[in-house]
Amino acid sequence: MSVLVKQSIEQFRVKKNSSSKNSYAWIVVALLWVVALLNYMDRQMLSTMRPSMQIDIHELQSATNFGYLMGIFLWIYGFMSPISGIIADKLNRKWLIVASLFVWSGVTYAMGYAVTFNQLYWLRATMGISEALYIPAGLSLIADYHSDKTRSLAIGIHMTGLYMGQALGGFGATIAAKFSWHQTFHWFGLIGVVYSLVLILFLKEKKDAVVVNENITQKKSSSVFKGLAVLFTNISFWVILFYFAIPSLPGWGIKN
């Protein structure tokens, strides 16, 4: 009789642990959905707030200069995206996501203090690096937490956060018109910084993935350079890079 009781208790524990894991898998999606929203919202705000910003930073009145400003982000983001995938395979993804969000949110906040075109230019370049680090790590973490039955749905839900952020980025112009573009950057930057602290508390790296990553880091560093060599000789990489960079090129060709 006691054996049956022990078996029942063990089965209950297994079911409870399984249910808990399934619930947390969707919590991960919810947590990263907000990060995805902030990722696209912060990058989009600059383009919508140009009319307000060009009053203080006269260089933005030039379509050419504005094209440079938008282009530097896209070029760096395009170059960094596959490299970010290599980094995400070797580091703890939770902390990579937290650091990425914290840095680009800090950059967003700092843009509110920009007074020259060059300051905006280098801040956008930094944002390109930090934002590119998120997507590979975020999607990889979601994929590890979900099985074949729910993985596509989970990633699909996460992707809606990207487009929601892109849409909400347009409200930056409305807020800037009512208050100021400086305050708009400050507010949205602070939101991201605070949310990075939320991730520290609630986002967890998948334990079995940590073991795999530890094994990977024990390999020689030459494998990184081999991976980069394969990447830069892959025609698909250059096609994708130019695909995402081309939208910024027309502004460069317009005269002041």
Side-chain angles (χ1 to χ4, degrees):
M1 189 71 177
S2 59
V3 175
L4 293 176
V5 172
K6 290 181 180 179
Q7 289 178 344
S8 299
I9 294 174
E10 185 63 26
Q11 290 175 356
F12 175 77
R13 287 177 179 176
V14 171
K15 289 181 179 180
K16 185 177 181 180
N17 291 335
S18 177
S19 177
S20 177
K21 289 180 180 178
N22 290 336
S23 298
Y24 186 74
W26 291 108
I27 292 175
V28 169
V29 175
L31 289 170
L32 296 185
W33 188 91
V34 179
V35 182
L37 182 148
L38 294 172
N39 187 282
Y40 266 60
M41 184 175 66
D42 287 352
R43 75 175 68 177
Q44 187 72 15
M45 284 194 306
L46 177 65
S47 61
T48 64
M49 294 196 299
R50 178 187 175 189
S52 298
M53 297 177 67
Q54 67 185 10
I55 297 174
D56 299 313
I57 303 177
H58 300 297
E59 292 91 339
L60 294 181
Q61 296 176 9
S62 164
T64 303
N65 287 335
F66 193 73
Y68 284 132
L69 201 59
M70 301 302 290
I72 187 63
F73 172 87
L74 292 171
W75 280 108
I76 291 181
Y77 191 96
F79 273 112
M80 278 298 300
S81 290
I83 297 174
S84 299
I86 296 174
I87 295 173
D89 284 337
K90 297 182 177 298
L91 299 180
N92 184 294
R93 290 166 298 181
K94 168 188 172 174
W95 293 110
L96 185 60
I97 292 169
V98 170
S100 174
L101 173 60
F102 184 87
V103 172
W104 93 58
S105 297
V107 169
T108 301
Y109 182 86
M111 288 178 73
Y113 289 110
V115 294
T116 68
F117 175 81
N118 285 336
Q119 290 173 349
L120 285 176
Y121 186 85
W122 291 111
L123 285 170
R124 285 289 287 183
T126 304
M127 180 176 282
I129 297 173
S130 55
E131 286 208 355
L133 289 170
Y134 167 65
I135 294 293
L139 293 181
S140 174
L141 192 59
I142 291 174
D144 276 355
Y145 268 106
H146 285 266
S147 65
D148 294 340
K149 294 181 179 180
T150 61
R151 188 173 295 127
S152 295
L153 175 61
I155 292 176
I157 292 173
H158 173 267
M159 293 298 290
T160 65
L162 300 177
Y163 298 112
M164 181 63 73
Q166 191 170 19
L168 290 178
F171 285 99
T174 303
I175 299 174
K178 188 171 183 179
F179 297 97
S180 73
W181 63 269
H182 306 85
Q183 288 181 321
T184 305
F185 279 125
H186 291 333
W187 290 341
F188 283 101
L190 283 175
I191 290 173
V193 170
V194 171
Y195 194 70
S196 67
L197 302 179
V198 174
L199 293 183
I200 291 176
L201 296 175
F202 297 104
L203 186 63
K204 301 176 183 178
E205 174 65 273
K206 197 112 179 354
K207 292 183 179 180
D208 54 350
V210 173
V211 175
V212 173
N213 287 340
E214 289 177 349
N215 292 334
I216 291 175
T217 54
Q218 294 175 358
K219 294 182 179 180
K220 296 180 179 180
S221 60
S222 60
S223 61
V224 176
F225 297 102
K226 289 180 180 179
L228 292 176
V230 172
L231 172 66
F232 291 127
T233 55
N234 189 327
I235 188 64
S236 298
F237 164 69
W238 295 102
V239 170
I240 294 173
L241 174 62
F242 278 96
Y243 173 80
F244 283 103
I246 282 175
S248 67
L249 296 179
W252 294 7
I254 300 175
K255 295 182 179 179
N256 297 332

